[in-house]
Amino acid sequence: YLSLDFMRFLTGIKPTGFPHLGNYFGAIEPAIRLQAEGEAFYFIADYHAMTTVHDAKLLEEYVHEVALTWLACGLDPERAVFYRQSSVPEVQELTWYLSTVTPMGMLERCVSYKDAIAKGQPATHALFTYPVLMAADILLYHANVVPVGQDQKQHLEVTRDIANKFNDTYKKVLTIPEPRIQEHVAKVPGLDGQKMSKSYDNTLQLFGSAKQFKKRVMGIKTDSTPVEDPKPTEDSSLIDLYKLVATSEEVDAYTAQFTAGGVGYGDLKKQLLEKLNGAFAEMRERYESFAQRPDDVRDILKAGAERAQSEAAKTLDAVRAAVGTKPQD
Ligand code: ADP
Ligand code: TRP
């Protein structure tokens, strides 16, 4: 499992809302590129989403939306094992075994927990043990490379600590994963210039209605420079968004219109809109096509869950033997 020519990438995507451009450039697109480099396990972390989503219908809706999004964006279900976390409930059993070697202090130090509490989220047990479940997600499948954003780095350290403690306490059966921190990915600005995020209501949804998308792009916050004057190019959300989907020559031509003056923000936004629509046209078509075939989406997730489950069964077998809960027959 530890050999470097065996790369098993694993990452979880929380279904907590409608995916936006930030999610695409920051997480989806890089993960899709990794499919070519090794074995990919990508799952919809619905158990984790339940730390904030307490509405069954809404959870189902978000899970479906996230599934459609990944498939539309190019996840290849032949290459990647794509599944819903709760379809392999064995992860909960492993969570328990891991929790027997997890010090309280380690979880108390987790910044994500402290942040959530500080933001007024109720201090539930699920929120507190979130990192143990995340460790189980990874360890159940012997993933050795976990692509995540900077904010998940501490959770990966916790995972490694827990795995080492388990291996020392019981028996050496768990693979120690390496994080692959995606630092170089673009930080996508939202409509208000802050980081695009569901929590700030400043997102451009990847697959919302065309009308709504246009309205949102036309609503990007700009300053009040008159049409004829040159416009600032530093920290321009318009230019930063344009850069995500254009060649450097195109970016230069777009930026030149800012410096020259004579082109209004309305016009510049229309150009951006066109560019974005072009970049996502094919994905939107695929999205519509999958949206019309919910049975196919279900089948893909089911097949993924079966592949995941057979891996999980092997790991749990070894883990149960290590801890002393293996059924005798
Ligand atoms: P949100 O902030 O909208 O709740 P999440 O925290 O669910 O988004 O993020 C899911 C993934 O998308 C993470 O890997 C995160 O790093 C990435 N991501 C979210 N927003 C952005 C952004 N504005 N720019 C780049 N990556 C982002
Ligand atoms: N905690 C991750 C997030 O908030 C989602 C996640 C759950 C995850 N389980 C995982 C990521 C396992 C990587 C590996 O984005």
Side-chain angles (χ1 to χ4, degrees):
Y1 286 124
L2 292 167
S3 103
L4 271 181
D5 47 59
F6 177 89
M7 296 262 248
R8 180 172 288 173
F9 303 111
L10 176 143
T11 200
I13 309 106
K14 263 194 300 177
T16 49
F18 293 96
H20 54 72
L21 253 66
N23 300 141
Y24 179 73
F25 290 104
I28 301 174
E29 195 262 341
I32 291 201
R33 259 188 288 123
L34 281 181
Q35 282 181 141
E37 279 180 45
E39 213 183 331
F41 277 60
Y42 295 155
F43 68 97
I44 305 173
D46 54 346
Y47 284 142
H48 277 112
M50 289 178 67
T51 54
T52 53
V53 183
H54 288 153
D55 177 319
K57 256 190 134 151
L58 195 59
L59 186 65
E60 296 279 0
E61 192 184 337
Y62 288 158
V63 167
H64 185 61
E65 194 61 32
V66 168
L68 289 176
T69 297
W70 280 76
L71 292 168
C73 292
L75 183 142
D76 176 359
E78 298 293 321
R79 289 196 82 99
V81 181
F82 187 44
Y83 57 103
R84 181 176 180 160
Q85 184 183 30
S86 62
S87 298
V88 191
E90 287 89 336
V91 74
Q92 297 291 355
E93 184 178 341
L94 181 58
T95 300
W96 179 256
Y97 299 140
L98 299 179
S99 73
T100 67
V101 296
T102 305
M104 287 288 284
M106 193 155 92
L107 300 179
E108 279 158 359
R109 280 191 294 278
C110 282
V111 178
S112 59
Y113 175 73
K114 287 191 273 194
D115 276 358
I117 302 296
K119 282 190 188 136
Q121 227 180 290
T124 60
H125 180 247
L127 190 62
F128 188 65
T129 55
Y130 185 111
V132 190
L133 176 59
M134 180 160 162
D137 288 329
I138 298 167
L139 302 171
L140 188 58
Y141 301 103
H142 294 284
N144 52 8
V145 183
V146 183
V148 283
Q150 183 67 37
D151 63 321
Q152 297 297 315
K153 195 176 170 195
Q154 191 181 30
H155 288 158
L156 259 296
E157 280 157 17
V158 167
T159 300
R160 290 166 57 89
D161 283 354
I162 293 176
N164 279 315
K165 275 205 106 153
F166 183 96
N167 284 348
D168 292 345
T169 307
Y170 296 109
K171 193 167 172 245
K172 201 169 173 313
V173 292
L174 300 177
T175 302
I176 312 299
E178 297 282 341
R180 182 175 291 185
I181 306 295
Q182 294 163 320
E183 276 153 348
H184 50 280
V185 297
K187 186 166 153 192
V188 180
L191 306 188
D192 56 359
Q194 286 191 85
K195 180 188 167 195
M196 188 177 287
S197 168
K198 286 179 285 257
S199 349
Y200 305 142
D201 188 27
N202 65 354
T203 67
L204 290 171
Q205 271 179 32
L206 275 173
F207 302 113
S209 80
K211 202 172 145 202
Q212 186 65 13
F213 191 79
K214 178 175 179 190
K215 203 172 147 208
R216 300 282 282 179
V217 172
M218 296 313 285
I220 294 173
K221 202 173 124 198
T222 44
D223 60 36
S224 52
T225 314
V227 175
E228 55 280 10
D229 290 4
K231 296 165 189 65
T233 55
E234 283 281 298
D235 291 324
S236 160
S237 304
L238 296 181
I239 295 176
D240 288 346
L241 288 167
Y242 201 89
K243 276 183 184 158
L244 296 168
V245 288
T247 64
S248 61
E249 291 79 33
E250 290 168 332
V251 173
D252 289 345
Y254 188 64
T255 311
Q257 300 177 75
F258 282 66
T259 28
V263 185
Y265 278 124
D267 199 341
L268 293 164
K269 286 176 187 174
K270 276 198 192 122
Q271 295 180 37
L272 171 64
L273 176 69
E274 239 167 73
K275 200 78 205 152
L276 289 171
N277 281 339
F280 292 109
E282 206 180 304
M283 287 181 237
R284 284 177 178 154
E285 267 172 40
R286 257 200 313 257
Y287 179 94
E288 287 310 324
S289 153
F290 276 113
Q292 276 153 31
R293 296 179 280 133
D295 289 351
D296 288 357
V297 176
R298 203 170 319 128
D299 288 348
I300 288 169
L301 287 176
K302 198 166 160 228
E306 275 161 21
R307 285 163 77 187
Q309 193 140 29
S310 80
E311 279 298 310
K314 281 187 262 171
T315 308
L316 259 188
D317 220 44
V319 167
R320 285 180 187 144
V323 301
T325 59
K326 194 173 158 73
Q328 308 289 319
D329 37 29

